[in-house]
Amino acid sequence: MNPGAAMSGEAEERTENKTRWRVLLIEDDEPVCQRLARILEGWEQGRLIAACGMLSEAKRVIDREPIDLLITDLRLPDGNGIEAIQRLKAISPDAEAMVISVLADERTVLDAIEAGAAGYLHKDAYAIDLLKAVKDLLAGHSPISSRIARLLVRRLAGQETTDRPPDAPSDLTAREMDILNHIARGLTYEEIANLLEISRHTVPVHIRNIYRKLSVNNRSQAVYEARERGILPR
């Protein structure tokens, strides 16, 4: 008998026998969160326990409520969804977790999988069929967007990926690195300009470039993302 088929059969039986899967959703984008929550609320095999926009809120839910399935974004206002996966797995090792995120660099994907995520969907695929992905996950499969799958295949094949390694995780210039370090210290545009002896009007241009390269929208996100990627010390 094929061991893989046996495992899949056991997972399918587990899915069928469970009355309602208790689901926790973590997504800080309110319209996206509402849309995903509506889909999950209409799923007859599941019960949405909570839809959280903050990591701290999600951790409180995990600590007080039994959760069978976690669906999480990664870049959250107060942390990373990987922490929620780790928290859930520490409390409920048999619980399932799936990531839906715009982040698709090699280190982030591998960290999420190592934390316990069995599925990873890229947000630009929105035509994501959420319920199909959830049902595949609970049937013992690993729903993964094609972009993520290609990255993993290249990794397993030992080929160099297009993502930069952890010791060089971005294409920030030396000037942008200087400004990023000063941003992390909380300096104003004028203070940064004076320290680097450049025009005050040049600083916002560099900062916009930093935001674009790190895929963020503000200072706090830039500092958090830079620390997550190893660009800045924690």
Side-chain angles (χ1 to χ4, degrees), residues 54 60 78 92 98 128 132 137 150 160 174 224 226 234:
M54 302 285 285
R60 287 194 293 272
D78 60 339
S92 303
M98 180 166 66
I128 287 176
K132 181 181 184 306
L137 181 73
R150 284 195 297 271
E160 183 178 354
Y224 172 79
R234 291 179 180 273

Side-chain angles (χ1 to χ4, degrees), residues 74-227:
L74 293 183
R75 188 161 55 209
L76 301 168
D78 60 339
N80 192 302
I82 289 174
E83 296 179 51
I85 298 174
Q86 293 169 331
R87 183 74 149 252
L88 177 62
K89 287 291 188 176
I91 295 172
S92 303
D94 292 334
E96 299 285 359
M98 180 166 66
V99 170
I100 301 179
S101 176
V102 296
L103 300 179
D105 62 282
E106 180 179 306
R107 186 66 265 159
T108 298
V109 173
L110 293 176
D111 283 348
I113 292 172
E114 288 170 3
Y120 199 119
L121 304 181
H122 194 268
K123 255 187 193 172
D124 69 4
Y126 260 130
I128 287 176
D129 187 337
L130 180 61
L131 287 188
K132 181 181 184 306
V134 166
K135 290 173 184 176
D136 284 348
L137 181 73
L138 300 182
H141 306 298
S142 295
I144 298 178
S145 295
S146 57
R147 177 174 177 178
I148 307 299
R150 284 195 297 271
L151 183 152
L152 294 175
V153 167
R154 289 197 300 267
R155 170 75 175 188
L156 291 172
Q159 298 173 2
E160 183 178 354
T161 70
T162 56
D163 298 286
R164 297 171 68 91
D167 60 343
S170 74
D171 57 348
L172 296 180
T173 65
R175 176 64 75 199
E176 288 164 356
M177 281 299 305
D178 288 339
I179 290 175
L180 181 59
N181 275 286
H182 291 316
I183 288 175
R185 294 171 55 202
L187 301 187
T188 65
Y189 287 2
E190 187 171 353
E191 289 170 334
I192 293 172
N194 290 337
L195 279 171
L196 298 180
E197 299 181 343
I198 59 177
S199 166
R200 187 220 179 278
H201 302 293
T202 306
V203 176
V205 176
H206 288 302
I207 289 177
R208 282 196 296 272
N209 288 336
I210 292 170
Y211 290 178
R212 175 178 55 80
K213 291 176 180 180
L214 296 180
S215 301
V216 298
N217 299 309
N218 57 49
R219 284 182 172 223
S220 59
Q221 288 179 0
V223 173
Y224 172 79
E225 185 66 14
R227 285 174 176 158

Side-chain angles (χ1 to χ4, degrees), residues 66-79:
I67 300 297
D68 302 308
L69 171 62
L70 170 64
I71 299 172
T72 184
D73 193 359
L74 293 183
R75 188 161 55 209
L76 301 168
D78 60 339

